[in-house]
Amino acid sequence: MSDKITIPDEVIIDKIYVIRGQRVMLDRDLAELYGVETKRLKEQVRRNINRFPESFMFELTSEEHKTLRTQFATLKRGRHSKYPPFVFTEHGILMLSSVLNSELAIKMSVQIIETFVQLRKLANNYEEIMNKINQMESQNNEQFSEIYEVLQRLLSKPEEKPRKEIGYKADKN
């Protein structure tokens, strides 16, 4: 086994969600990356629950789980549990590698944490750029006003438009 496992960062990034204002990963996604069954991962967490305070790991509420399930287009049989999953923060992922205690879990944790660090750096750079743009804009430099507007549009987060409901709609007559 090589010293470093290389899974494209995009694969890991696609498995990171923001829940309760924190970047987290689901138990089933981590189990898949670590090469263990979700059932076994949860078993180890329960056996070592004192290592997982709520800032490291928490179980989704039924409502959060329901909302998360609706984000997946199709539910494949056996892929999405009917029970609310555990979600792990960056610190919980580090702790998880110690309770699973396998070479693969340790190496995957290192790569996952590196991905979290890269995401944090990107977020910080984004904030810095926005602050500088706002600072320059506040100086009322009219010759650059068009540039500021274009940069604001490029860097602004896209608005989430309400989705149209799909399916059969009955007449209300």
Side-chain angles (χ1 to χ4, degrees):
M1 196 179 259
S2 70
D3 284 351
K4 187 163 179 161
I5 295 174
T6 51
I7 290 180
D9 288 343
E10 295 78 34
V11 171
I12 295 171
I13 290 170
D14 286 343
K15 296 175 185 295
I16 297 174
Y17 300 91
V18 176
I19 299 174
R20 298 183 193 174
Q22 299 181 68
R23 285 193 180 105
V24 296
M25 292 184 75
L26 301 174
D27 54 11
R28 67 177 166 80
D29 292 334
L30 287 165
E32 180 183 319
L33 291 170
Y34 293 154
V36 298
E37 292 179 31
T38 306
K39 180 179 178 179
R40 298 293 166 234
L41 182 142
K42 287 180 131 179
E43 202 172 76
Q44 286 300 333
V45 169
R46 285 189 183 107
R47 285 182 182 159
N48 296 281
I49 198 69
N50 58 334
R51 293 181 179 219
F52 295 95
E54 194 164 322
S55 60
F56 285 23
M57 185 269 315
F58 54 90
E59 189 170 9
L60 295 184
T61 64
S62 297
E63 190 60 36
E64 289 169 330
H65 185 228
K66 186 175 160 186
T67 302
L68 185 65
R69 285 175 61 108
T70 61
Q71 292 179 15
F72 301 109
T74 58
L75 296 176
K76 297 177 186 145
R77 185 176 175 89
R79 177 78 174 120
H80 300 279
S81 172
K82 60 183 174 182
Y83 304 108
F86 289 165
V87 293
F88 296 85
T89 64
E90 186 176 343
H91 301 296
I93 293 166
L94 273 174
M95 188 60 72
L96 193 56
S97 68
S98 72
V99 298
L100 291 177
N101 202 21
S102 76
E103 200 62 31
L104 177 62
I106 292 166
K107 290 177 181 179
M108 274 310 306
S109 287
V110 169
Q111 186 173 355
I112 292 168
I113 297 306
E114 286 174 349
T115 304
F116 269 89
V117 169
Q118 288 173 354
L119 287 174
R120 198 169 28 255
K121 284 180 183 175
L122 285 173
N124 288 342
N125 288 342
Y126 173 82
E127 291 297 322
E128 284 178 36
I129 290 169
M130 288 303 294
N131 287 337
K132 286 181 183 179
I133 288 171
N134 290 332
Q135 200 174 42
M136 291 170 73
E137 191 175 33
S138 68
Q139 294 173 352
N140 260 345
N141 196 340
E142 289 184 27
Q143 73 186 74
F144 294 112
S145 65
E146 284 184 46
I147 294 172
Y148 297 140
E149 287 176 33
V150 170
L151 286 173
Q152 282 285 24
R153 275 186 267 140
L154 287 172
L155 291 173
S156 66
K157 295 177 183 170
E159 278 185 33
E160 285 192 28
K161 297 178 183 172
R163 293 184 176 197
K164 262 188 174 178
E165 288 187 25
I166 58 172
Y168 178 76
K169 294 178 180 105
D171 288 334
K172 295 182 181 181
N173 293 343

